[in-house]
Amino acid sequence: ALTIDGSMVRLGHVHVNDDQPRPANRAATVETWPTLWPATKVTLLEGSVGFLLAVACGILIGILLYCSRIANAALFPLLSAAQTMPLISIAPLFLIWFGFEVSGKIVIVTVFGLFPIAVQTIRGLEQSPVYSDVALTCGATRTWTLWHVKLRVAARQIYGGIRVSAAYIFATAATAEYLGARKGLGIWLQAAYNSFRTPLIFSATLVIIVITCVLMCLVNLSERMLLGPASDDEDPDAGQ
């Protein structure tokens, strides 16, 4: 067991000094920051790429399930079931398929991140029958109406799903790394835990919170740039 713990500490680049008094743990956190940043970059890559893929796949799957009742009946239960499975139960499968490479963590992040986006896409598209009927009456095709009318009306709802996905995307990536990876915040946390360095665990947790907040801000900024303020969508005659 000592050999395994020592290997994990070396793998996570966490420097342990058993003679160090507990009040000096704060200084140890500062000293290990240069090793925390490389681990953060790995998790940042996995989370960012997985999140972008989740957004693209979630919207496309939502459109597919909205347009096809057969696809909805066949795929939506499977998609829902995939979200109810704990990560620890399916992570070994991804380790078998992808090994300890970054690509496996990206796939896990994508799978767990696309569900809320797909659901909100379906709900948003279902809320635009009046606008689509007007476009079809004016001679627009169903394809044009879908891409230029329905998706525009559903955009706010879709962004709601994107925000939900963004809230736990980096935590999912770190958890996937913890269950099996060569590097990343998950491995860094595991090494800190095995060496009983509580301040280092809090440091990694703080980093995950910070990068999640940055991603949430970017999502809100992109929504405002693409769709404008939410007040612009309000009906001016609603209060009359």
Side-chain angles (χ1 to χ4, degrees), residues 14-15 25 28-29 32 188-189 192 197-205:
V14 179
H15 304 288
N25 282 337
T29 304
T32 56
W188 205 89
L189 278 167
R197 305 296 296 277
T198 303
L200 304 187
I201 296 176
F202 280 109
S203 299
T205 304

Side-chain angles (χ1 to χ4, degrees), residues 101-133:
E101 301 300 326
V102 171
S103 57
K105 311 307 171 294
I106 292 176
V107 174
I108 291 178
V109 170
T110 302
V111 170
F112 278 84
L114 63 83
F115 180 74
I117 301 174
V119 170
Q120 291 301 99
T121 299
I122 297 172
R123 291 180 178 177
L125 291 173
E126 290 175 345
Q127 293 179 355
S128 58
V130 176
Y131 302 96
S132 59
D133 290 343

Side-chain angles (χ1 to χ4, degrees), residues 11-13 38-40 42-43 46 100-102 105 173 177-178 180-188:
L11 183 60
H13 303 292
T40 302
V42 175
T43 305
E46 295 168 349
F100 292 92
E101 301 300 326
V102 171
K105 311 307 171 294
E177 292 168 350
Y178 192 92
R182 289 192 176 94
K183 50 189 175 179
L185 283 177
I187 293 298
W188 205 89

Side-chain angles (χ1 to χ4, degrees), residues 45-56:
L45 172 65
E46 295 168 349
S48 300
V49 176
F51 176 69
L52 293 177
L53 291 176
V55 172

Side-chain angles (χ1 to χ4, degrees), residues 2-24:
L2 292 177
T3 303
I4 296 175
D5 289 347
S7 300
M8 294 306 301
V9 170
R10 290 193 297 271
L11 183 60
H13 303 292
V14 179
H15 304 288
V16 180
N17 185 358
D18 295 332
D19 296 330
Q20 184 183 35
R22 290 191 176 185

